[in-house]
Amino acid sequence: MFAYHNPNQIFFSEPNWKSYVRAPYTATPTGLRSWLLDRGSLTQRLMKLSRGEFKVEVLTQQMASPMLSEIRALGMPLRQKALIRQVILYGCNIPLVYARSVIPVKTLTGRLKNLRKLNNKPLGALLFRDIAMQRGDIEIGCLQNNGYLHQEFANNYDAAVWGRRSLFYLDKKPLLVSELFIPGFNKKLLSSSFY
């Protein structure tokens, strides 16, 4: 998803995001399909599955320049900074999902300025508790694991990485959340730790 030369970025390339309506249904892996297309809270689903043994590891959280596709999705002016937060979501101490949130500076005003202080709290829990939250369309994408930086991806070299992203609106202010399922996600879910 995000290039090697920038410390704010994890991957060499980014998925070719497509609306799930336009992406061929058969192209998505059967075991991941319900996870990719679920409009509910991924955080809540992972918490339930792991019986509360859920945690967030913050990789980075800083003001930085978003990727061009993120700028376009958010309708941001070029060269405008955003709060970019990258995390790994764990269930039963097993890394399951890499998530990247891009929150424009204009969104970080009023009551939403507290988004700067999430620390290791899950953003998804906050979003889905907010009665003013609206979710945009889901886009899905896939890329080949051909040189990832984070150890959870490096351990699965050459595996396809599937993900999704959505715009969320709080008080009509946008933020973009991308979620990539770590290779072997389904096998990890079926491990004895979850049952």
Side-chain angles (χ1 to χ4, degrees):
M1 187 182 287
F2 314 104
Y4 173 74
H5 63 278
N6 185 337
N8 169 51
Q9 300 171 341
I10 298 294
F11 297 103
F12 285 111
S13 61
E14 182 176 16
N16 184 11
W17 298 109
K18 293 183 187 236
S19 165
Y20 81 86
V21 174
R22 284 186 251 135
Y25 187 73
T26 55
T28 58
T30 306
L32 271 181
R33 199 171 290 143
S34 74
W35 291 90
L36 289 167
L37 303 181
D38 187 353
R39 293 190 57 81
S41 168
L42 177 63
T43 299
Q44 188 173 32
R45 195 170 172 187
L46 291 173
M47 286 175 128
K48 183 177 179 182
L49 188 70
S50 62
R51 295 180 179 96
E53 286 187 54
F54 175 85
K55 73 174 183 176
V56 176
E57 175 192 354
V58 179
L59 303 176
T60 63
Q61 182 172 313
Q62 61 190 353
M63 296 303 290
S65 299
M67 298 291 290
L68 187 57
S69 75
E70 295 168 335
I71 290 169
R72 288 180 179 147
L74 287 159
M76 291 174 58
L78 286 173
R79 297 191 226 13
Q80 188 177 82
K81 302 281 188 197
L83 179 65
I84 299 178
R85 182 173 189 252
Q86 299 180 105
V87 302
I88 299 286
L89 306 179
Y90 290 80
C92 297
N93 278 329
I94 299 171
L96 299 170
V97 176
Y98 160 81
R100 176 177 166 102
S101 307
V102 181
I103 309 171
V105 173
K106 289 184 178 180
T107 298
L108 295 167
T109 57
R111 73 182 183 98
L112 302 181
K113 66 184 173 192
N114 289 332
L115 292 175
R116 294 176 189 259
K117 300 174 187 173
L118 284 172
N119 300 319
N120 63 349
K121 294 179 197 149
L123 174 61
L126 182 145
L127 289 173
F128 283 87
R129 260 196 327 258
D130 195 309
I131 58 169
M133 185 275 282
Q134 295 180 314
R135 184 176 197 165
D137 294 336
I138 293 174
E139 295 179 316
I140 61 172
C142 179
L143 57 91
Q144 281 304 119
N145 185 353
N146 58 359
Y148 298 97
L149 296 182
H150 193 272
Q151 63 192 14
E152 305 310 339
F153 292 97
N155 293 338
N156 294 283
Y157 193 76
D158 282 337
V161 178
W162 283 87
R164 66 183 191 166
R165 75 176 185 179
S166 296
L167 282 169
F168 289 86
Y169 299 88
L170 293 172
D171 300 340
K172 299 185 180 178
K173 299 174 188 175
L175 59 107
L176 182 66
V177 177
S178 303
E179 298 154 331
L180 292 179
F181 295 87
I182 291 174
F185 176 81
N186 286 325
K187 289 178 187 169
K188 292 175 183 190
L189 289 182
L190 294 173
S191 74
S192 59
S193 302
F194 284 94
Y195 298 103

